[in-house]
Amino acid sequence: MAEPIIQLKHLTKRFGGGENEVHALEDVSIEVRAGEIFGVIGLSGAGKSTLVRCINLLERPTAGEVIVDGRDMLRLTEKELRKVRQSIGMIFQSFNLLMQRTALDNICFPLELAGAPRREAVRRAEELLEIVDLAGRAGAYPAQLSGGQKQRVAIARTLATNPKVLLCDEATSALDPKTTRDILRLIQDINKRLGITVVVITHEMKVIEEICARVAILDHGHLAETGTVEEIFASPRSEAGRRLVYPDGVPAEVLYSAADRDRVIRVAFNGGTSYQPLIATLAIDCGVKANILGADTRNIDGRAFGTMLLGLPREGADKAMTYIRSQKDITVEEVPDYHG
Amino acid sequence: MADFFADPQVLRFLQEAPFAIWETVYSTLIATALAYVIGLPLGVVLVAGENGRILKVPGPLMTALNVAVNLLRSVPFLILMVIVIPLSRLLLGTSVGTPASIVPLVAAAAPFVARIVESSLRELDAGVVEAAQAMGCSPWQIITKVMLSECRPSLINGLTTATITILSYGAMAGAIGAGGLGSMALMKGYQRQMTVMLWGSVILLVLLVQLIQSIGTALSVKTDRRINPTESRRRKRK
Ligand SMILES: Nc1ncnc2c1ncn2[C@@H]1O[C@H](COP(=O)(O)OP(=O)(O)OP(=O)(O)O)[C@@H](O)[C@H]1O
Ligand SMILES: [Mg+2]
């Protein structure tokens, strides 16, 4: 297994103090392996940006450790930190290009900072423009470029100093779906060809799905779970994970597939005088633990209407069905080919 | 027409105007330059030092700078001129005349320039500064290569406004014996009721302001790559 290139240990970040204190990150530990594309996903305000900004110390954590490429970031002097930052590229949702410089000069900028001679910087910048597929637009100013093109310039700019790590904070969130895919492909290409480790921050599951190998889910500043993208897609263990994988609610088949031996029945309430506390009665009278897979019922004038999907354990299912059939104003049918 | 030019007041005006223009122009330019020598770094510190975002400036010093700027700005120029008379004497050995008027002009304009520079620099998106920091920019590099160069068009607009304000302050300084168009309008035009002098110098002042504004706006617009992004064709290098 590859060495972790980024280690975040018990990272905690709080903003402000007293009553207004915001706990942006609480005891988050993450390891990113060299050469992988690692995703961090979470809803707005989950602390994703704070997390990624702690990696290059744009934000200093309140507690915890940040180790990048074997270096304890929090122990570096200002000068050492600036040097290390040249090996950690970062791109943003809003591109953050210098508006008064051409695409070429934007890419030259980090080289200029590093003290490279102008001629060399220009040569390297032209090479990079080629890599990001913008060879013809060297002299264009950011105001003349589309969002996708601006992000390409930003990517080329971070590549100029040969970084080992590329941090992407919502790098595609301002782009349309097609451009998003193109930029993701470019990031993937850079990861493969140049061996740069990539950390992708996003609130969109499809971005993770498209390029990440492993993913961490953040929820209100806490690490909800980490795992390979396949694992988390197949069976999210955390509440936050389920919410992200199934933004429209958990479909029945997912819950159901966890207990494959169950039988599924559909129960229809046809306006019985009141809601029968059906599930409780099943458990007490028949000893059957029913699992509500889905429900669409309503109460009108104290009478229940609608249907409910129940998962029943195989043993006891028949007994339960018989019991439900005996109830007034309730019909029941089995859903034989119900499968996710 | 010939009568008009034969009028002794007109003749005198025509004789004295060039020197008055010269005095106004040079005192304005010198005062503006000196005001920027003090005000520009001050404005930069006011933005870059805020919350130690770019420069690590101690909090109490930031507060002191802000208070000092506000104090100087709240004193009306006419009063400031009188207050700094001892300072002019100390620096230049005299408190009257055009060179001496530059001292109160700078004292009044520097804090004004600091605020103008501050507001220009605040227009810069924090994300751009952040990106530069992420690339390993030093504070000095952020100030020169990011803040000042990205805000250039707005800084030029500010410079225009500052120059015009200093020009009009300079005209007021005519009251304490400074030369130039202001004194011409005030001392000769108004107090000795020479109408031609009065209106002539006012018209010249208006023209000067117009000229400065046009040059400033043109420069700002022409150099702004956001509004006027002519694609630059670079020589292809081997
Ligand atoms: N500089 C700051 N000062 C105070 N609170 C902050 C600061 N930065 C972030 N926060 C707070 O920390 C929490 C996490 O913010 P963060 O920007 O990391 O979220 P996010 O997951 O990136 O959200 P989004 O998807 O909206 O970008 C939020 O509650 C936010 O208000
Ligand atoms: Mg964010």
Side-chain angles (χ1 to χ4, degrees):
Chain A
M1 199 92 296
E3 266 294 289
I5 190 166
I6 300 172
Q7 289 170 274
L8 306 177
K9 297 182 184 169
H10 308 290
L11 209 61
T12 294
K13 176 72 190 182
R14 299 191 181 127
F15 290 106
E19 279 187 19
N20 304 326
E21 192 174 63
V22 177
H23 296 224
L25 291 174
E26 280 294 325
D27 193 17
V28 172
S29 298
I30 286 176
E31 288 191 350
V32 179
R33 296 171 194 152
E36 74 174 333
I37 302 186
F38 187 88
V40 176
I41 190 167
L43 299 176
S44 187
K48 309 180 292 291
S49 295
T50 307
L51 178 88
V52 79
R53 291 156 53 82
C54 280
I55 296 176
N56 59 6
L57 292 201
L58 281 180
E59 212 74 79
R60 287 193 97 85
T62 311
E65 276 182 76
V66 180
I67 294 165
V68 180
D69 200 18
R71 259 176 301 234
D72 185 343
M73 298 290 280
L74 293 164
R75 293 251 166 87
L76 299 178
T77 62
E78 284 284 317
K79 206 169 162 212
E80 289 168 331
L81 177 61
R82 286 203 288 272
K83 191 88 193 127
V84 171
R85 277 177 174 169
Q86 293 181 355
S87 66
I88 307 176
M90 188 169 192
I91 55 173
F92 306 81
Q93 176 169 3
S94 48
F95 321 122
N96 295 343
L97 295 176
L98 298 169
M99 300 300 283
Q100 305 291 348
R101 283 177 173 238
T102 60
L104 187 92
D105 284 337
N106 263 286
I107 302 170
C108 286
F109 184 68
L111 296 165
E112 220 174 287
L113 298 178
R118 175 75 187 163
R119 281 181 72 101
E120 239 168 74
V122 170
R123 189 160 357 100
R124 176 102 180 99
E126 279 169 352
E127 242 173 65
L128 286 162
L129 277 170
E130 203 96 32
I131 291 181
V132 299
D133 220 3
L134 275 180
R137 305 305 304 273
Y141 288 95
Q144 294 170 304
L145 298 173
S146 71
Q149 289 173 327
K150 278 186 228 174
Q151 198 59 291
R152 282 169 191 275
V153 174
I155 290 172
R157 181 172 71 170
T158 67
L159 293 182
T161 46
N162 294 312
K164 292 192 166 172
V165 174
L166 175 60
L167 309 174
C168 312
D169 189 356
E170 304 274 7
T172 57
S173 298
L175 306 173
D176 63 63
K178 157 107 180 35
T179 314
T180 294
R181 225 169 306 121
D182 293 346
I183 294 290
L184 290 179
R185 206 150 296 140
L186 177 63
I187 291 174
Q188 201 166 28
D189 193 46
I190 285 164
N191 165 260
K192 287 225 180 70
R193 277 210 297 180
L194 308 175
I196 297 174
T197 308
V198 182
V199 177
V200 172
I201 302 293
T202 182
H203 62 270
E204 292 172 299
M205 206 62 193
K206 69 172 195 299
V207 170
I208 299 286
E209 195 180 343
E210 192 120 345
I211 62 168
C212 294
R214 294 194 309 130
V215 62
I217 298 180
L218 273 188
D219 182 29
H220 294 103
H222 294 268
L223 183 65
E225 62 182 302
T226 53
T228 65
V229 173
E230 291 85 5
E231 274 166 15
I232 288 188
F233 262 88
S235 55
R237 278 170 283 129
S238 64
E239 183 54 40
R242 276 195 287 276
R243 269 205 314 273
L244 284 161
V245 178
Y246 310 110
D248 303 321
V250 182
E253 58 264 34
V254 174
L255 284 176
Y256 177 60
S257 66
D260 247 358
R261 289 158 294 123
D262 285 12
R263 282 163 70 182
V264 174
I265 57 171
R266 179 177 290 114
V267 182
F269 298 89
N270 304 323
T273 47
S274 73
Y275 254 110
Q276 309 264 352
L278 188 69
I279 310 296
T281 322
L282 281 176
I284 295 162
D285 290 3
C286 317
V288 173
K289 266 184 83 181
N291 194 1
I292 302 178
L293 301 177
D296 179 19
T297 54
R298 71 201 69 222
N299 218 346
I300 300 168
D301 284 340
R303 306 195 305 162
F305 291 90
T307 62
M308 202 181 247
L309 216 51
L310 293 179
L312 299 173
R314 221 155 255 286
E315 65 266 29
D318 287 333
K319 196 170 163 199
M321 300 257 293
T322 318
Y323 172 78
I324 297 170
R325 282 211 179 89
S326 73
Q327 299 301 301
K328 217 174 104 210
D329 289 326
I330 295 182
T331 57
V332 61
E333 59 176 355
E334 180 144 14
V335 188
D337 53 355
Y338 188 87
H339 242 284
Chain B
M1 204 63 190
D3 282 357
F4 180 71
F5 284 107
D7 185 315
Q9 246 198 72
V10 173
L11 273 178
R12 190 166 165 200
F13 172 74
L14 289 176
Q15 262 167 12
E16 291 182 9
F19 187 64
I21 292 174
W22 159 245
E23 275 188 313
T24 292
V25 168
Y26 98 77
S27 62
T28 301
L29 290 184
I30 291 178
T32 307
L34 292 177
Y36 267 84
V37 167
I38 302 167
L40 183 70
L42 198 54
V44 167
V45 169
L46 287 176
V47 178
E50 197 180 40
N51 304 324
R53 220 165 44 100
I54 297 161
L55 281 177
K56 303 269 172 289
V57 182
L61 181 58
M62 286 300 291
T63 314
L65 288 179
N66 267 301
V67 169
V69 167
N70 289 341
L71 267 180
L72 272 173
R73 289 206 58 196
S74 55
V75 181
F77 181 63
L78 223 53
I79 295 167
L80 191 75
M81 279 195 296
V82 184
I83 296 176
V84 297
I85 283 178
L87 185 64
S88 310
R89 229 176 249 139
L90 189 76
L91 290 174
L92 300 167
T94 174
S95 62
V96 288
T98 309
S101 74
I102 289 177
V103 176
L105 273 181
V106 173
F112 173 67
V113 166
R115 287 292 182 219
I116 284 199
V117 167
E118 180 190 2
S119 76
S120 289
L121 297 182
R122 282 198 194 287
E123 289 168 19
L124 183 62
D125 186 347
V128 174
V129 171
E130 204 154 75
Q133 282 174 324
M135 281 184 263
C137 248
S138 69
W140 177 249
Q141 288 170 324
I142 289 184
I143 289 168
T144 55
K145 288 174 182 283
V146 180
M147 292 170 68
L148 294 178
S149 42
E150 279 294 290
C151 299
R152 186 187 50 224
S154 173
L155 287 167
I156 292 174
N157 281 333
L159 174 62
T160 310
T161 307
T163 310
I164 289 172
T165 306
I166 291 169
L167 180 86
S168 73
Y169 279 0
M172 274 190 249
I176 60 157
L181 293 169
S183 138
M184 199 174 183
L186 214 61
M187 300 305 197
K188 293 165 188 166
Y190 178 68
Q191 284 180 6
R192 294 195 219 150
Q193 298 180 353
M194 296 195 254
T195 323
V196 178
M197 282 284 187
L198 176 61
W199 288 106
S201 43
V202 166
I203 289 168
L204 284 176
L205 278 171
V206 170
L207 288 177
L208 263 180
V209 169
Q210 283 295 338
L211 185 72
I212 296 168
Q213 186 66 60
S214 316
I215 294 174
T217 307
L219 262 179
S220 166
V221 171
K222 190 160 190 293
T223 60
D224 192 351
R225 302 309 179 194
R226 291 165 305 177
I227 336 175
N228 182 27
T230 42
E231 195 143 339
S232 87
R233 292 256 162 261
R234 278 179 186 281
R235 277 173 290 121
K236 205 73 194 137
R237 284 167 214 244
K238 288 265 150 81

